[in-house]
Amino acid sequence: MLAAALWLSNQLTRPPSAQAAAGEKVVGGPYAVNVGPRSATVMWVVQTGEASLGTEPGQADKTAPALRAEKTTFVGLKRGITYYYQAFPGEAGKGSFRTPPADASRFQFVVYGDTRTRHDVHRTVIAGILKYANPDFVMHTGDLVANGDDASLWPIFFDAERELLRKTAFFPSLGNHERNARNYFDLLDAKPYYSFDWGSAHFIVIDSDIANARATKAEQDSFWQEETHWLEEDLRGSQKADFRFLFAHHPPMTAVKRRQGDNPHMTALEPMFEKYKVSAGFFGHDHNYQHYVKNGVHYFITGGGGAPLYDVDVPPPGITQKVASTENFVVVEVDGKKARVEAKTPDGQLLDTTELGQ
Ligand SMILES: [Fe+2]
């Protein structure tokens, strides 16, 4: 009786905005982004409502959620520490992440991508990462969802990723299927291109999707010029790192015959990767696993995160190490000046293994 009276009094005194908030639900997260040595942003996604659309009055052919990204940034953090957070009430609101170490101590990251379209396969790949890896952070090579503008796809993405993202830090790359959508930037607090250090390694993420980056050819050219200028400066400034790892959605080369020569802007960057000693580039876009070594630079394509698989029908001669048309993720264990790269299928089979470093 007392409880009922309290409830009633709450309803009467609560302002209208808080009453609307009662219908909200969390549909993504929690997850940690932009994790650095001193700060990290914890995020989650709230569905505030749902709208419907049809071709007749009162007829709903489509529904779409209204989403709101919640975020808060913690500052004053220390290096090499695991932090446990509570993003919203209850067990579901708990998560953790680790800040980068101060020294060259051992760490692990996982790379995967192209998680769109086949949601059940996406779940299988995430389950494989959780079972066969224990990453300090994860790198996504792009095409998180089939259409970045479609709000209904993001809760599906975050639902599949939930158990992984709540225990690690997430670093995304922009794929062509994101369509440069505001959702990508808002929900992940992301920038088109960025870099960071983790232990003895330097990480660079670039936006290779120039077609969606700007509206006209002239604007696209100027965007790419600006970005690659930044890339060269960033590479020049990171020559003391033990490793330089580069991430982009579009690969410079491919074994997928019908796509060979598709990304000349990326192929044109190869001399820059060689000049500034990029240890390895990681790409997506092709839904399979590919590994090349060209003039001392390793190129990995890991786009087997759920999207329909592509054949690896014409491996480029002379540089091919391994190609396989299968779902996969790549585990990189960095230990000082050495790194071990293992590509795995979701059921833990080893596809390929490589040692990097001096
Ligand atoms: Fe793609």
Side-chain angles (χ1 to χ4, degrees), residues 114 116 141-143 175-178 249-250 259 284-287 310:
D114 295 271
R116 67 175 176 88
T141 56
D143 283 0
N176 53 309
H177 279 267
E178 270 68 70
H249 184 61
H250 299 78
R259 297 187 135 200
H285 198 49
D286 289 343
H287 312 148
Y310 294 164

Coordinates of all heavy atoms in Angstrom, one line a residue, residues 114 116 141-143 175-178 249-250 259 284-287 310, ligand 1:
D114 N 34.1 -6.6 -41.2 CA 33.0 -7.0 -42.1 C 32.0 -7.9 -41.3 O 31.8 -9.0 -41.7 CB 33.5 -7.6 -43.3 CG 34.3 -6.7 -44.2 OD1 33.7 -6.0 -45.0 OD2 35.5 -6.5 -43.9
R116 N 28.8 -7.3 -41.0 CA 27.5 -7.0 -41.4 C 26.7 -8.2 -42.0 O 27.3 -9.3 -42.3 CB 27.5 -5.9 -42.5 CG 28.2 -6.4 -43.8 CD 28.1 -5.4 -44.9 NE 28.8 -5.7 -46.1 CZ 28.2 -6.4 -47.1 NH1 27.0 -6.8 -47.0 NH2 28.9 -6.7 -48.2
T141 N 38.0 -3.7 -38.8 CA 38.5 -3.2 -40.1 C 37.4 -2.6 -40.9 O 37.6 -2.3 -42.1 CB 39.2 -4.3 -40.9 OG1 38.4 -5.4 -41.0 CG2 40.5 -4.7 -40.2
G142 N 36.2 -2.4 -40.4 CA 35.1 -1.7 -41.1 C 34.0 -2.5 -41.6 O 34.1 -3.7 -41.7
D143 N 32.9 -1.9 -42.1 CA 31.7 -2.5 -42.4 C 31.1 -3.2 -41.2 O 30.8 -4.4 -41.2 CB 31.8 -3.5 -43.6 CG 31.8 -2.8 -45.0 OD1 31.8 -1.5 -45.0 OD2 32.0 -3.4 -46.0
G175 N 34.1 1.7 -42.8 CA 33.9 0.9 -44.0 C 32.9 1.6 -45.0 O 32.3 2.5 -44.6
N176 N 32.9 1.1 -46.2 CA 32.0 1.8 -47.2 C 30.5 1.6 -46.8 O 29.7 2.5 -47.1 CB 32.3 1.3 -48.6 CG 32.2 -0.2 -48.7 OD1 32.9 -0.9 -47.9 ND2 31.4 -0.8 -49.6
H177 N 30.2 0.5 -46.1 CA 28.8 0.3 -45.7 C 28.4 1.2 -44.6 O 27.2 1.4 -44.3 CB 28.6 -1.2 -45.3 CG 28.4 -2.0 -46.5 ND1 27.1 -2.3 -47.0 CD2 29.2 -2.7 -47.4 CE1 27.2 -3.0 -48.1 NE2 28.5 -3.3 -48.4
E178 N 29.3 1.8 -43.9 CA 29.0 2.8 -42.9 C 28.4 4.0 -43.5 O 27.7 4.8 -42.9 CB 30.2 3.2 -42.0 CG 30.3 2.3 -40.7 CD 30.7 0.9 -41.0 OE1 31.9 0.6 -41.5 OE2 29.9 0.0 -40.9
H249 N 39.9 0.0 -44.3 CA 38.9 -0.9 -44.8 C 39.3 -1.5 -46.2 O 39.3 -2.7 -46.3 CB 37.6 -0.2 -44.9 CG 36.5 -1.2 -45.3 ND1 36.1 -2.3 -44.6 CD2 35.7 -1.2 -46.4 CE1 35.1 -2.9 -45.2 NE2 34.9 -2.3 -46.3
H250 N 39.8 -0.7 -47.1 CA 40.0 -1.1 -48.5 C 41.5 -1.6 -48.6 O 42.4 -0.9 -48.3 CB 39.8 0.0 -49.5 CG 38.4 0.5 -49.5 ND1 37.9 1.3 -48.5 CD2 37.4 0.2 -50.3 CE1 36.6 1.6 -48.8 NE2 36.3 0.9 -49.9
R259 N 37.7 -8.1 -58.0 CA 38.0 -6.8 -57.3 C 39.4 -6.4 -57.5 O 39.8 -5.4 -56.8 CB 37.7 -7.0 -55.8 CG 36.2 -7.4 -55.5 CD 36.0 -7.4 -54.1 NE 34.7 -6.6 -53.8 CZ 34.4 -6.1 -52.6 NH1 35.2 -6.3 -51.5 NH2 33.3 -5.5 -52.4
G284 N 40.0 -4.9 -44.5 CA 38.8 -5.7 -44.6 C 38.3 -5.7 -46.0 O 39.1 -5.8 -46.9
H285 N 37.0 -5.5 -46.1 CA 36.3 -5.3 -47.4 C 36.1 -6.6 -48.2 O 35.1 -6.8 -48.8 CB 37.0 -4.2 -48.2 CG 36.2 -3.6 -49.4 ND1 35.0 -3.1 -49.2 CD2 36.6 -3.4 -50.7 CE1 34.5 -2.7 -50.4 NE2 35.4 -2.8 -51.3
D286 N 37.2 -7.4 -48.2 CA 37.0 -8.7 -48.8 C 36.7 -9.7 -47.7 O 37.5 -9.8 -46.7 CB 38.3 -9.1 -49.6 CG 38.6 -8.3 -50.8 OD1 37.6 -7.7 -51.3 OD2 39.7 -8.3 -51.3
H287 N 35.6 -10.5 -47.9 CA 35.1 -11.3 -46.8 C 35.8 -12.7 -46.8 O 35.2 -13.7 -47.3 CB 33.6 -11.5 -47.0 CG 32.9 -10.1 -47.1 ND1 31.8 -10.0 -47.9 CD2 33.3 -8.9 -46.7 CE1 31.5 -8.7 -47.9 NE2 32.4 -8.0 -47.2
Y310 N 33.7 -14.4 -49.8 CA 34.2 -14.2 -51.2 C 35.2 -15.2 -51.5 O 36.0 -15.6 -50.6 CB 34.8 -12.8 -51.4 CG 33.8 -11.6 -51.3 CD1 34.3 -10.3 -51.2 CD2 32.4 -11.8 -51.4 CE1 33.5 -9.2 -51.1 CE2 31.6 -10.7 -51.3 CZ 32.1 -9.4 -51.1 OH 31.3 -8.3 -51.0
Ligands
FE1 FE 33.4 -3.1 -47.6

